[in-house]
Amino acid sequence: MKLYLINPSNPLVSIVNVNESRWNRYRVWKPLSLMVLASLTPREWKIEITDENLGVPDYSAMPRPDLVGITAFTSQANRAYEVAAYFRHLGVPVVMGGIHATMCLDEVMEHVDSVVTGEAESVWAELLEDAQHGRLKRRYDGGRADINGLAPARHDLLPARYAFGAIQTTRGCPLNCSFCSVTTFNGAQYRQRPIPDVVHEFRSIREKRVLVVDDNLIGTRPEHVARAKELFRALARANLRKEWVAQATINFADDEELLALAAEAGCRGVFIGFESPTPAGLRELGKKINLVKGRDFRASVRRIQRHNILVVGSFIIGLDVDEPGIGRQIAAAASQYGLDNLNTLFLTPLPGTRLWDQMTSEGRIALDAFPEDWKYYTLTFPVAQYKRLSLDDIIQEMVSCNRNFYSMPRILRRVWSSFWHRRQPLISLVGNLSYRSNIRVDCQSYADFKRQRRGSFRQQPKATTNPGRNEYENHPSLSQPHRPSHLAPPGRGTTQTPA
Ligand code: B12
Ligand code: SF4
């Protein structure tokens, strides 16, 4: 039996950008979901994984499979349906799973033969057996899996063209931020894989560099942090000579021992969701963990960096409290916090989130010609009516944010600082230049986007007040005296997802 597992591309992001700049090789990440599915697949199946982000193959030149499995984030749904249509036309049954299939079940069912919702571990073997006997059900509900004793993902099945390998050590997040689908999808309970399993799988990864895909590697509670320390100790003991990057919440900075152990275990970069420079923004997003009283973001970032760990910060533009000027405000906050790289995204209502429910009920989803419009749900295009920012405003704010943070003098200061503090200056330079080179590409795609989609957006009333600004000025960490910018550190693009 022959099984194709396919990760569809989204030409609006991957292909265009990867070809535009060679630095973007560092931003193509392995589709771990398919490597995990492969590990759950019995030996009698011959598996081929295709990641269209590396190039779309000529499927007609490939042998006819017995079953096709497609994964998709929402932004990949269109292309997923094209691929599904192609194979169904040949009479090959197609099954789809992943976050989009779970959140938009009815839509997905129209395009494929069978859908797996939730995590696949508990149902995949049954589905394959059904496929083998020609009795595929329309729907399988995986729910949330027991992740004890999982076989390692099949890291051997993808070509060695990625800069990073990928691994997952935990699932779930209790924080349930309004814009994020993780709590709905993977649950509020923080589940951890046994440490020996993780170390064993880490060892089987070919690449020297690894992305730990966990939404929050260290969790939120003391027992989570204790487990993270145990994991780091075990990784250090195993002496794998790997360097890895991960996502975590800002409480990563609060425990010196944790930081020292992480660095010893090979942690070189951490992606942290700062989300908004204002407390009002953080409240709006429900990002309570960033609102802890007395949190000094600059000092927290410095504590992490002292362990030779780069800090990439994510912010969101388009909150109800955001007004013209927010782009510069974010760039200023990111510089003041001393971030190595800044990744700013448009507020995007993803299906299954609280934000989606709110914006749908308020009639604020601007790009709603689904499924075609899903391709814009990359967080790199505005897709909704924003309260105080028109379409032109919000795009201008994004460009001004990036131009500001990635201006050449600022980049040079960050790289110099990383050189001075012996914190991976080369990686800092590559990361910053990669982001900078993307600004030009982004401006072109915004121009195309506006030309094609302006009609979907209502004209916006001009804002008259600026409550965000007062909050910004009073924010505990931002109201500190601005430190000399030569202290601002280095950078590198790690992952694009918020934690
Ligand atoms: C790693 C990651 C990335 C990597 C992706 C690498 C890759 N190619 O897979 C990178 C950094 C590239 C990335 C990019 C983006 N990401 Co991302 N990412 C993640 C993250 C943190 C982990 C995903 C992962 O590998 N999990 C581990 C695997 C084992 O789990 P899994 O994918 O869920 O797969 C299981 C099940 O879903 C199911 N399954 C999955 N596929 C299939 C297929 C079949 C056939 C079957 C049967 C079952 C099945 O079985 C698997 C085993 O249980 C998730 C958060 C999360 N917890 O899911 C966000 C997440 C998936 N990303 C998200 C988003 C929004 C994005 C972006 C659109 C925007 C951005 N800038 O972050 C871009 C997408 C760009 C594009 N190409 O269009 C959202 C997606 C929401 C949605 N509705 O689409 C998530 C959920 C985070 C969030 N905050 O909500 N991301
Ligand atoms: S954004 Fe991060 S902290 Fe918030 S719910 Fe999602 S994974 Fe958890």
Side-chain angles (χ1 to χ4, degrees):
M1 298 292 282
K2 193 163 181 52
L3 170 68
Y4 284 175
L5 294 174
I6 300 175
N7 184 35
S9 64
N10 178 341
L12 282 179
V13 254
S14 41
I15 303 289
V16 174
N17 286 355
V18 169
N19 290 342
E20 281 288 334
S21 162
R22 64 202 164 97
W23 302 121
N24 284 337
R25 192 172 93 85
Y26 287 90
R27 294 203 204 168
V28 188
W29 307 93
K30 285 191 160 174
L32 184 58
S33 55
L34 299 183
M35 292 146 69
V36 166
L37 276 189
S39 74
L40 302 168
T41 305
R43 289 264 166 229
E44 63 261 32
W45 287 83
K46 197 167 171 309
I47 309 165
E48 186 145 336
I49 301 185
T50 298
D51 180 3
E52 291 194 344
N53 291 310
L54 296 179
V56 177
D58 177 2
Y59 290 114
S60 67
M62 292 163 67
R64 187 181 188 279
D66 299 289
L67 180 69
V68 170
I70 305 178
T71 189
F73 299 166
T74 291
S75 56
Q76 297 165 290
N78 279 323
R79 175 66 192 152
Y81 301 150
E82 283 173 18
V83 176
Y86 172 78
F87 283 104
R88 291 181 89 197
H89 183 69
L90 298 181
V92 178
V94 174
V95 52
M96 191 162 143
I99 185 105
H100 189 71
T102 306
M103 300 304 174
C104 296
L105 175 65
D106 293 340
E107 176 194 289
V108 174
M109 281 184 109
E110 287 174 28
H111 297 269
V112 298
D113 300 286
S114 180
V115 180
V116 173
T117 55
E119 301 172 9
E121 280 78 1
S122 62
V123 292
W124 183 239
E126 176 195 342
L127 182 149
L128 290 176
E129 174 110 8
D130 289 350
Q132 237 164 333
H133 294 95
R135 51 166 198 238
L136 211 50
K137 294 196 237 336
R138 289 284 285 144
R139 180 179 169 180
Y140 296 80
D141 290 319
R144 281 157 200 152
D146 175 0
I147 57 172
N148 288 305
L150 293 181
R154 291 287 304 273
H155 296 274
D156 54 310
L157 286 178
L158 277 162
R161 283 168 62 199
Y162 298 83
F164 287 81
I167 193 169
Q168 185 174 47
T169 92
T170 63
R171 284 187 192 166
C173 177
L175 297 176
N176 200 14
C177 302
S178 68
F179 57 92
C180 174
S181 13
V182 170
T183 308
T184 315
F185 185 67
N186 293 113
Q189 199 197 339
Y190 189 65
R191 288 166 290 152
Q192 300 144 333
R193 289 179 67 193
I195 289 170
D197 289 4
V198 175
V199 176
H200 175 59
E201 180 164 340
F202 233 110
R203 191 171 274 123
S204 73
I205 297 176
R206 278 190 300 238
E207 290 81 5
K208 180 171 165 49
R209 297 187 181 84
V210 179
L211 167 67
V212 180
V213 306
D214 302 23
D215 295 292
N216 186 356
L217 177 60
I218 57 147
T220 49
R221 307 220 309 239
E223 62 270 27
H224 303 162
V225 173
R227 180 267 184 187
K229 285 183 184 173
E230 271 316 304
L231 173 64
F232 300 158
R233 280 192 194 100
L235 287 173
R237 265 196 313 271
N239 194 20
L240 303 172
R241 296 179 207 284
K242 302 269 187 213
E243 297 187 332
W244 48 269
V245 295
Q247 304 184 90
T249 33
I250 189 69
N251 55 321
F252 185 49
D254 298 346
D255 187 324
E256 275 297 329
E257 187 188 24
L258 178 77
L259 291 170
L261 288 169
E264 206 187 325
C267 180
R268 296 290 173 266
V270 64
F271 185 95
I272 295 178
F274 291 88
E275 324 301 4
S276 170
T278 73
L282 292 173
R283 276 196 294 276
E284 182 184 323
L285 296 170
K287 190 91 184 186
K288 294 184 275 298
I289 200 157
N290 287 14
L291 278 162
V292 170
K293 218 163 161 241
R295 163 73 62 199
D296 177 340
F297 286 110
R298 182 176 176 92
S300 301
V301 169
R302 288 292 293 130
R303 273 200 300 279
I304 299 171
Q305 289 167 334
R306 266 189 224 113
H307 293 268
N308 199 14
I309 297 172
L310 298 171
V311 181
V312 181
S314 170
F315 282 81
I316 302 176
I317 285 190
L319 315 190
D320 288 356
V321 296
D322 288 350
E323 295 202 323
I326 182 66
R328 277 178 169 271
Q329 214 174 323
I330 290 174
S335 297
Q336 201 269 329
Y337 297 171
L339 298 183
D340 296 300
N341 270 148
L342 165 66
N343 193 14
T344 308
L345 302 160
F346 292 106
L347 183 71
T348 303
L350 293 165
T353 60
R354 287 190 282 127
L355 181 66
W356 170 270
D357 293 342
Q358 184 205 335
M359 284 195 161
T360 318
S361 69
E362 292 170 1
R364 289 171 59 191
I365 312 270
L367 296 197
D368 60 358
F370 302 128
E372 287 74 23
D373 278 349
W374 290 132
K375 64 177 178 288
Y376 293 112
Y377 282 61
T378 52
L379 321 194
T380 53
F381 293 97
V383 299
Q385 295 294 149
Y386 299 94
K387 268 242 162 90
R388 299 160 197 253
L389 297 166
S390 68
L391 173 64
D392 290 316
D393 289 341
I394 196 165
I395 287 178
Q396 195 187 319
E397 293 306 324
M398 180 62 86
V399 173
S400 117
C401 175
N402 286 324
R403 285 214 173 118
N404 231 278
F405 189 82
Y406 291 107
S407 69
M408 222 42 199
R410 279 195 159 155
I411 289 182
L412 291 177
R413 280 200 291 264
R414 281 195 287 276
V415 173
W416 169 248
S417 157
S418 66
F419 178 74
W420 188 246
H421 292 100
R422 300 203 194 107
R423 272 202 333 265
Q424 313 176 58
L426 188 63
I427 291 173
S428 166
L429 184 67
V430 170
N432 274 280
L433 291 180
S434 162
Y435 273 97
R436 185 182 158 84
S437 75
N438 268 357
I439 299 175
R440 188 177 45 84
V441 182
D442 288 346
C443 285
Q444 183 54 53
S445 55
Y446 295 146
D448 295 344
F449 176 77
K450 282 204 267 186
R451 219 176 16 257
Q452 289 160 16
R453 301 315 304 265
R454 182 178 291 284
S456 305
F457 290 82
R458 292 194 297 269
Q459 199 62 31
Q460 209 75 4
K462 277 272 162 240
T464 48
T465 55
N466 192 349
R469 163 152 297 195
N470 290 337
E471 301 252 15
Y472 167 61
E473 283 163 357
N474 294 332
H475 192 268
S477 91
L478 292 180
S479 58
Q480 293 165 7
H482 195 76
R483 302 261 182 96
S485 44
H486 69 266
L487 290 180
R492 148 218 229 157
T494 52
T495 167
Q496 304 176 334
T497 47

